[in-house]
Amino acid sequence: MGRAERLPLLQQIEEERQSAVICYFTGDRENLGTRVAPDVIRVFYRHLLALGPRPRIDLFLYTRGGDVLTPWRLVNLLREFTPYLGVLVPFRAASAGTLLCLGADEVVMGRLGELGPIDPSVANAFNPEDPANPAARLPVSVEDVTAFLALAREIAGLEGEGSMVAIFNQLVNRVHPLALGNVHRNYALIRSLARKLLQMHLPAEEQDRVEDIIQNLTERLYAHNHMISRREARQEISLPVVTPSEHLEDLMWQLYLDYESDLQLLEPFNPAVMLQPRDFSLDFEAAAGIVESVPCLDAFIFNGTITREIEPRDGAPPVNVTFTRQGWRQLV
């Protein structure tokens, strides 16, 4: 890990922001990625104990998303150690990352910074089968279900109770009722989480603003992969977004590039290339996520073995990959 190069950047960001900084970087390397997940809570606790209570804590964040319940628990933990929470977004903070931003007093977004809608796609045993792989289940987007019903009302012009009942019955014939129930549960859950995160720092008299932010991030963007720029986040969604100084912008981007390089995000994880022509097998270790502060460093590390197939079948990969261990590891 390039900690020696990152520590001066972290310390300069802390000095610029007059805060303690914890970096949470979930890598999106092709074939070897990580996502926001509950196992990071214990990792953060170690860093927070090492830092101690601070007037201000900043979370330097990069993620494509993950478990939607983790942001609520993580923000609550961070606020046990600080009355003022900021999130620094040099690039992506999508889905669960955006939920983390909702719990912050201040979101510092770089020029390339982007947030995203917060409505998840949900999957359980009752979801429709994937036609290409009957053993798999298709995720159901919360907003796709509500959009279907809106389509019937607003485009097809179906207004009567009988017409809507018929449309709903068609939906139930295609999607299991328990899968639809799970969709509604997540519909209510994500709005409840977003509301509680915003109410942590917005006063009671701004309840209308809270509801408007939730509507913008769930129902008015229409695509889960919509990329929200800092201008849109501040001016149209009314999030507490601020623009960093030129110096801070440069520091944030340099720190992002260091993580990007360390986790090899621009190079696909390709086991066949890693195995040398004369090798039959190779043990490997690869980092795919980082939590870092000035006193501590943890990495999410995959360990495994790559084995060459002696007589590969038609269409089968020339190598097998067996993961022997994966999880957070204390490095400092």
Side-chain angles (χ1 to χ4, degrees):
M1 309 299 292
R3 182 168 166 82
E5 293 77 23
R6 286 195 299 271
L7 272 180
L9 293 174
L10 271 172
Q11 291 164 338
Q12 288 180 69
I13 291 174
E14 289 189 334
E15 182 177 351
E16 177 88 6
R17 291 280 298 165
Q18 291 297 293
S19 69
V21 176
I22 304 178
C23 301
Y24 183 24
F25 202 105
T26 65
D28 50 10
R29 184 181 183 188
E30 186 178 339
N31 302 323
L32 198 76
T34 52
R35 297 174 66 78
V36 173
D39 58 356
V40 81
I41 301 298
R42 176 65 180 83
V43 178
F44 263 85
Y45 189 50
R46 185 173 85 91
H47 287 251
L48 289 165
L49 288 175
L51 289 169
R54 298 294 184 95
R56 299 171 66 106
I57 290 179
D58 282 329
L59 177 65
F60 182 94
L61 180 65
Y62 178 85
T63 185
R64 293 290 190 106
D67 174 59
V68 297
L69 291 172
T70 299
W72 171 245
R73 183 67 188 94
L74 183 53
V75 169
N76 274 280
L77 177 62
L78 288 163
R79 287 192 175 275
E80 291 285 342
F81 288 82
T82 185
Y84 194 92
L85 176 64
V87 178
L88 311 182
V89 182
F91 192 4
R92 298 185 176 108
S95 193
T98 300
L99 279 173
L100 282 167
C101 292
L102 294 188
D105 298 278
E106 183 179 54
V107 182
V108 182
M109 293 180 68
R111 295 186 185 91
L112 197 59
E114 62 186 47
L115 309 179
I118 57 175
D119 262 6
S121 294
V122 297
N124 64 25
F126 298 101
N127 278 31
E129 289 183 356
D130 184 348
N133 180 12
R137 298 284 173 173
L138 292 171
V140 176
S141 168
V142 172
E143 284 309 310
D144 281 347
V145 173
T146 58
F148 171 73
L149 298 175
L151 172 71
R153 287 192 303 269
E154 299 168 14
I155 306 300
L158 302 178
E159 296 180 355
E161 183 178 337
S163 297
M164 291 308 297
V165 167
I167 289 296
F168 187 76
N169 285 337
Q170 288 187 35
L171 180 62
V172 170
N173 288 335
R174 290 298 189 94
V175 182
H176 196 286
L178 293 182
L180 291 174
N182 191 37
V183 164
H184 180 70
R185 188 157 57 99
N186 278 272
Y187 175 94
L189 170 65
I190 204 70
R191 284 155 180 78
S192 173
L193 289 173
R195 186 172 297 109
K196 290 194 292 185
L197 286 164
L198 288 165
Q199 288 172 343
M200 282 182 164
H201 55 90
L202 291 179
E205 56 267 25
E206 293 203 56
Q207 185 59 34
D208 288 345
R209 178 186 174 191
V210 168
E211 297 303 324
D212 195 54
I213 289 172
I214 294 170
Q215 288 290 100
N216 277 318
L217 291 174
T218 55
E219 298 183 16
R220 296 175 185 162
L221 296 176
Y222 304 113
H224 190 68
N225 59 353
H226 180 88
M227 294 168 283
I228 303 169
S229 69
R230 69 182 180 189
R231 183 202 61 79
E232 183 180 6
R234 179 174 54 238
Q235 297 180 11
E236 299 181 25
I237 301 179
S238 298
L239 291 173
V241 169
V242 299
T243 300
S245 67
E246 288 293 328
H247 181 55
L248 179 58
E249 173 105 35
D250 183 55
L251 291 172
M252 288 168 57
W253 188 243
Q254 286 184 56
L255 185 57
Y256 167 80
L257 290 177
D258 197 285
Y259 285 125
E260 180 186 76
S261 175
D262 252 11
L263 298 180
Q264 303 177 64
L265 300 191
L266 304 183
E267 303 173 21
F269 176 71
N270 189 339
V273 172
M274 295 170 64
L275 199 61
Q276 297 298 315
R278 295 182 180 181
D279 292 339
F280 175 72
S281 67
L282 172 71
D283 293 332
F284 72 89
E285 179 175 287
I290 293 173
V291 176
E292 186 170 28
S293 58
V294 170
C296 302
L297 171 62
D298 290 77
F300 192 95
I301 295 177
F302 289 91
N303 292 92
T305 302
I306 304 168
T307 306
R308 188 182 306 281
E309 285 283 359
I310 302 299
E311 297 180 359
R313 296 165 294 171
D314 290 342
V319 298
N320 284 326
V321 179
T322 303
F323 289 100
T324 56
R325 182 187 181 277
Q326 61 184 57
W328 291 100
R329 188 182 306 174
Q330 297 180 15
L331 301 183
V332 176

